[in-house]
Amino acid sequence: PFKRYKKILRRLHNAWSDISDSLNSYDNSQIQKTAPDILAFKSFKWVDKENSVIFPFRMKLSKSKEKQPLVIFLHGAGAMGRDNIKQLFDGLPVISKIKNRDCSVLFPQAPYGSNAFSAGGVTFLYLNGLKALTEKLIEEHNNIDRDRIYLVGTSFGGGCVWQLIWDYPE
């Protein structure tokens, strides 16, 4: 068990180092397009200098000119990482339920470990970054209705939903 624990700690440390090194190469927070797109979900990366976090996300924007809801799906712990794919598989039941609905859908992918949570799991840097990303998306896309943002989560993501509701009741 100790060797496994040590391996996990090393992976978490490496993930944090990679994110810190990457953040230094950017001047400001930004959304970057990446590839490939899957199931009509475009691939992006959110670089958040203010919250010191970088994470990939998938998004499908509503084609409507009128304001539509934004559904944010937060995955379980098994989908953490940087591949920008696992969170879609975790969210397949959600995708199947909303595929014919006119709404925008956001699938962020939480980074591994120490950058996802601070000590004691009280403050989620990732969630602060997700809030900043949501604000940026609302600012850039006139058809996202700020009053209809729906959070859905499984396991780790369910806990994140509660934390976001607590931290940002508005």
Side-chain angles (χ1 to χ4, degrees):
F2 181 72
K3 285 183 182 181
R4 181 175 161 81
Y5 176 72
K6 194 172 176 182
K7 183 179 177 181
I8 291 169
L9 285 179
R10 186 171 45 251
R11 183 171 50 161
L12 295 177
H13 175 74
N14 290 342
W16 173 246
S17 296
D18 290 348
I19 289 171
S20 296
D21 292 345
S22 295
L23 278 169
N24 292 331
S25 64
Y26 296 99
D27 293 331
N28 57 5
S29 296
Q30 57 188 275
I31 295 172
Q32 293 184 334
K33 179 76 175 93
T34 59
D37 297 343
I38 297 176
L39 299 173
F41 287 88
K42 296 194 179 306
S43 177
F44 299 93
K45 175 171 60 171
W46 173 238
V47 177
D48 188 346
K49 293 283 283 189
E50 182 178 332
N51 292 300
S52 300
V53 68
I54 297 175
F55 59 86
F57 67 95
R58 297 273 175 177
M59 181 149 195
K60 180 181 88 60
L61 276 171
S62 169
K63 292 180 174 97
S64 174
K65 301 279 185 207
E66 296 177 21
K67 291 203 177 280
Q68 297 297 328
L70 171 63
V71 177
I72 303 172
F73 176 79
L74 302 175
H75 59 77
M80 284 182 169
R82 297 186 286 198
D83 64 11
N84 208 5
I85 295 173
K86 288 186 276 190
Q87 79 272 29
L88 286 179
F89 288 109
D90 208 37
L92 281 174
V94 173
I95 293 171
S96 70
K97 292 287 185 191
I98 62 175
K99 68 181 176 186
N100 296 323
R101 307 263 180 187
D102 196 5
C103 61
S104 293
V105 186
L106 173 63
F107 281 84
Q109 186 176 29
Y112 283 117
S114 58
N115 197 37
F117 314 70
S118 71
V122 176
T123 305
F124 291 79
L125 297 178
Y126 161 65
L127 295 181
N128 293 337
L130 180 57
K131 169 72 162 111
L133 170 61
T134 303
E135 292 295 331
K136 181 80 167 166
L137 292 170
I138 291 169
E139 176 186 309
E140 289 185 359
H141 302 285
N142 295 331
N143 66 343
I144 295 177
D145 188 347
R146 174 182 292 280
D147 295 326
R148 293 190 292 164
I149 298 174
Y150 301 101
L151 297 169
V152 180
T154 60
S155 190
F156 163 77
C160 290
V161 167
W162 285 103
Q163 189 67 44
L164 281 166
I165 291 167
W166 179 263
D167 290 343
Y168 306 106
E170 70 283 2

